Amino acid sequence: MIYRFRIILDNDTEDDVFRDLEIRETDTLEDLHNTITQSFGFDGNEMASFYLSNDTWEQGEEISLFDMGDGMNSVRLMNETTLNDVVHESQTKLIYVYDFLSMWTFFVELAEIVEEADGMDYPNLMYVHGQIPDEAPEKAFEADDMMDDFNEFDDDLDLDDYESLDFDENWN
């Protein structure tokens, strides 16, 4: 079977930048990585990872291009992971990050699964929309709204009454 993906650049502009491509379900995530980098015009020489994702695009398990672990925590590798191992009808979304210094981030979504066409070469770049900017879009990392209600001095302790703190240690 053939997986049809839409790969969308995560940017905060009005300009949509995406690629539609086809790839065999038995190809690896490394094959998908190579296809994505080529279709967006990257040289493919930077570190990259896929992350499993849910319907709200929350980042899950990492599948890395190279094993950068310390040996204690094993990481799944792209060249050992086939597409149909991680993507199917009930798991259609991945997040792809290329070049961890620039943080090019893409939403990868399985659009449909179709029969392989006779005489077609895969992977196949089906459609190109928009031009990738010269620099990766800046990421705005925002904390949840619960910080608005936080006051570090509102702990109900009377600092003038040290006797009530029950310290057993002798402080100098």
Side-chain angles (χ1 to χ4, degrees):
M1 299 301 287
I2 299 300
Y3 282 2
R4 288 185 176 161
F5 286 101
R6 174 159 285 176
I7 296 89
I8 304 167
L9 174 65
D10 178 17
N11 63 11
D12 291 332
T13 67
E14 293 180 16
D15 300 329
D16 291 331
V17 178
F18 64 88
R19 307 290 184 260
D20 292 344
L21 57 91
E22 296 176 313
I23 189 168
R24 288 181 179 91
E25 69 174 338
T26 55
D27 284 345
T28 66
L29 282 176
E30 186 176 23
D31 296 325
L32 181 60
H33 153 77
N34 291 331
T35 304
I36 292 171
T37 57
Q38 291 169 7
S39 69
F40 281 97
F42 296 122
D43 59 17
N45 293 330
E46 301 297 334
M47 188 61 193
S49 286
F50 284 97
Y51 298 88
L52 300 182
S53 185
N54 58 19
D55 288 337
T56 57
W57 294 105
E58 293 173 319
Q59 183 174 311
E61 178 190 359
E62 178 181 14
I63 303 169
S64 182
L65 184 59
F66 300 109
D67 186 0
M68 302 295 283
D70 56 9
M72 300 294 284
N73 299 325
S74 63
V75 176
R76 289 170 69 178
L77 299 177
M78 289 184 199
N79 67 343
E80 298 172 353
T81 307
T82 59
L83 287 169
N84 57 10
D85 283 343
V86 293
V87 179
H88 38 79
E89 285 95 351
S90 60
Q91 169 62 50
T92 61
K93 292 177 171 56
L94 299 169
I95 296 171
Y96 172 71
V97 177
Y98 176 77
D99 185 356
F100 286 96
L101 294 178
S102 298
M103 293 298 291
W104 290 98
T105 304
F106 300 85
F107 300 120
V108 179
E109 186 166 15
L110 177 64
E112 65 181 328
I113 302 171
V114 298
E115 294 287 332
E116 187 169 338
D118 291 335
M120 179 67 73
D121 288 330
Y122 296 101
N124 174 38
L125 179 60
M126 298 171 49
Y127 185 74
V128 173
H129 181 85
Q131 293 299 315
I132 194 147
D134 292 335
E135 294 182 10
E138 259 187 60
K139 299 287 177 250
F141 296 100
E142 299 174 9
D144 293 337
D145 290 339
M146 66 184 239
M147 290 303 291
D148 293 342
D149 298 331
F150 178 73
N151 180 351
E152 65 181 310
F153 300 109
D154 187 21
D155 56 10
D156 294 329
L157 292 176
D158 183 4
L159 297 179
D160 294 327
D161 188 13
Y162 291 111
E163 299 298 321
S164 68
L165 294 178
D166 292 329
F167 285 117
D168 292 331
E169 296 89 6
N170 293 321
W171 291 88
N172 292 334

